[in-house]
Amino acid sequence: MNQTNSQGHRRSLILAGGGIKVAFQAGVLQVWLDEAGLEFHHVDGASGGVFNLAMMCQGMSGTQIADNWRNLDPLAGISFNPAQLARLAYAESLFTLDAYRSRVFPKWGLDWNRIRTTALNATFNVFNFSRKELEVIEPRNMSEDLLVACVSLPMWFPPVRIGGETFIDAVFLTDANLEEAINRGADELWVIWTVSEKDEWHPGFVANYFQIIETSADGHYKAMRRRIEANNTAVANGRAGEFGRFIAVKELKADVALHYLVDFSQDRLIETVNLGVQRAREWCRANNISFSRKGPEYPIYVNEIPTALSFTEEMKGFWSLGETDFAAGADKGKAAGTDLMFHLTITINGVHSFVVRPEHDTSDVAGYVASRAFGGQCAIQRGQFNLFVDSTDPAVKYMLYRLFFTDQNGLDLTLSGAKHIKEEAGSDVWRATTTLYTRILNGHVTKEAEDAAASDPQALAALSVGAGIIIINMLDFQRQLTTFRVQAPTMAERLTALNEFARLFFGKLWDVYARDVLTSSPF
């Protein structure tokens, strides 16, 4: 990669740690390296980020790195440490990384001769426990043992002993070695960060362990950012500053709904990679960085069995003309008898693709919207349904509906609805998944147009015909359960598709309501 970009800046790519959350990082690399063609003078990796760095050193493209994660079965990397488990509290570790050595690394195609002879200016971080200091390793000195040592979290994996010295993961000292990048001449640091910064404390050993990881990783990273900010202030005021030049930091951060270590779902891993692709494209647009998508939106190299899953949903409630507040619209509509309902048949064509796309979207929506205000039933001309879309907070999800129809007077309208799935006082799973906050919009309005108007009360009022709330009552829900249909060539494939959909549905609910057990569903 070239040492400078078109503006003469020396860029360093920081592949921060995050356990298997770095699958998200791989999706970002697909966009930054391949689609945007970004070039870096130096690349640094710490903790889980070293996996992606090793693949970069070998000369793999961003898409090849992303595909390696897409095609990884998390179960393939699990190997217990039975010789140690009998020692109970004195066990060296619960697991080993032997399965990564014997199964994952070969599947990824790691070639140590190519890694050691790379032209990439790269640095790997590992903690030398014997000397009690961070060691920065260049590719020419790397080995499989050192790569394993870079991710050997104490208690989970045994330390690695090399040449009479003991090595472990550097995460307790650094999860992103910005200082090394600056020392190597970088004045732009491009950081991909997936360690959670969420203010949320959970009980239990596993949660406490990874909250300590977050304490160390986030704490050290923020301390370094403050040093950089102080340096930049000094430079702006004509002083030398600690680093002698202005240092720009460009961050792409994501709190990903994937556990750092405990995950058994390949679907969820693929979704995380694809989320990285989606967020990187959004980030590039926001930062005026051009990119050109190559191939399909999300390359999913799975033999896609032709499957379809469909179900019928009916929701009823009230709305009020001229209202933009959902609750007020429902109350006024109920008092005035302004009813609102829809009857939908939603079909998901290609269950696997639906599950691993972060949008979880389908446009195969048929049925009708009905209200006295519309003159009765109005056929849906086009629709969109999104199931459990992640927000920037992984503990908040949305179910989104967008239905285009024309009322009996020939007026084009849009029903835009959202179910808010989040844990809060007075809320529960039933209420969250059966309550749709609904707007009726004037014209066939896209999500982008509605989002643009949402921040401006006057623009939203001009776009809105009215608002209200509709719900699924218990009897209609019981009927809905009988409408699920799955199509696939064989009974086994039908069961697989239904299971895949169910794991998505209940796994997303876990992410919101079972975070005290584990912060994201392992299934």
Side-chain angles (χ1 to χ4, degrees), residues 142-340:
M142 278 298 293
S143 65
E144 183 178 284
D145 284 344
L146 279 170
L147 185 70
V148 169
C150 287
V151 296
S152 289
L153 282 175
M155 294 190 292
W156 295 96
F157 306 111
V160 178
R161 294 174 175 88
I162 304 170
E165 295 183 322
T166 302
F167 296 85
I168 61 172
D169 194 316
V171 67
F172 293 108
L173 201 60
T174 183
D175 217 22
N177 196 345
L178 305 187
E179 194 161 6
E180 181 65 27
I182 294 171
N183 291 340
R184 288 179 178 253
D187 54 19
E188 281 190 1
L189 309 181
W190 293 56
V191 184
I192 309 171
W193 188 264
T194 57
V195 176
S196 177
E197 297 178 335
K198 188 175 175 63
D199 178 15
E200 185 179 80
W201 187 269
H202 296 283
F205 165 78
V206 174
N208 278 201
Y209 185 94
F210 288 102
Q211 284 155 184
I212 292 170
I213 293 284
E214 291 170 0
T215 299
S216 180
D218 288 325
H220 282 102
Y221 179 70
K222 290 185 176 184
M224 186 63 194
R225 285 299 317 273
R226 285 193 291 271
R227 287 172 59 191
I228 292 172
E229 289 166 6
N231 167 84
N232 291 347
T233 299
V235 170
N237 291 327
R239 301 193 302 275
E242 180 182 356
F243 305 118
R245 62 192 184 280
F246 188 88
I247 307 296
V249 181
K250 300 178 182 294
E251 295 176 330
L252 198 167
K253 289 186 173 183
D255 198 341
V256 181
L258 187 71
H259 194 267
Y260 297 102
L261 192 62
V262 185
D263 181 79
F264 313 116
S265 169
Q266 186 173 13
D267 285 351
R268 188 163 277 237
L269 202 61
I270 297 171
E271 181 191 355
T272 299
V273 177
N274 293 340
L275 182 65
V277 172
Q278 180 195 68
R279 295 282 174 83
R281 289 172 180 159
E282 292 170 354
W283 189 92
C284 285
R285 292 187 191 101
N287 287 274
N288 297 316
I289 296 171
S290 61
F291 64 94
S292 177
R293 199 175 81 198
K294 304 177 187 300
E297 188 172 13
Y298 304 114
I300 303 164
Y301 297 115
V302 176
N303 292 326
E304 183 73 55
I305 298 164
T307 59
L309 183 148
S310 63
F311 59 91
T312 298
E313 183 174 46
E314 191 165 285
M315 302 191 73
K316 302 170 183 174
F318 299 92
W319 74 297
S320 178
L321 286 163
E323 185 60 67
T324 57
D325 181 84
F326 302 114
D331 289 342
K332 291 178 182 178
K334 188 173 184 179
T338 312
D339 62 324
L340 178 65

Side-chain angles (χ1 to χ4, degrees), residues 52 145 163 179 203 278 288 327 350 381 387 393 402 413 445 453 505:
N52 292 329
D145 284 344
E179 194 161 6
Q278 180 195 68
N288 297 316
Q381 297 160 359
L387 178 69
D393 181 347
R402 187 164 299 273
L413 297 169
V445 181
F505 191 94

Side-chain angles (χ1 to χ4, degrees), residues 64-130:
Q64 287 173 319
I65 296 169
D67 283 345
N68 272 342
W69 285 98
R70 288 185 179 102
N71 292 313
L72 173 64
D73 180 356
L75 295 174
I78 296 176
S79 50
F80 289 97
N81 197 350
Q84 290 291 321
L85 293 181
R87 299 180 63 189
L88 300 175
Y90 292 92
E92 188 174 53
S93 69
L94 297 172
F95 302 93
T96 74
L97 286 161
D98 292 346
Y100 267 81
R101 292 176 184 262
S102 63
R103 299 176 195 160
V104 177
F105 294 166
K107 182 163 183 162
W108 283 351
L110 295 189
D111 181 330
W112 285 101
N113 287 329
R114 293 178 64 186
I115 291 170
R116 282 190 283 264
T117 58
T118 185
L120 185 66
N121 180 10
T123 45
F124 296 78
N125 294 275
V126 68
F127 188 75
N128 186 322
F129 182 79
S130 299

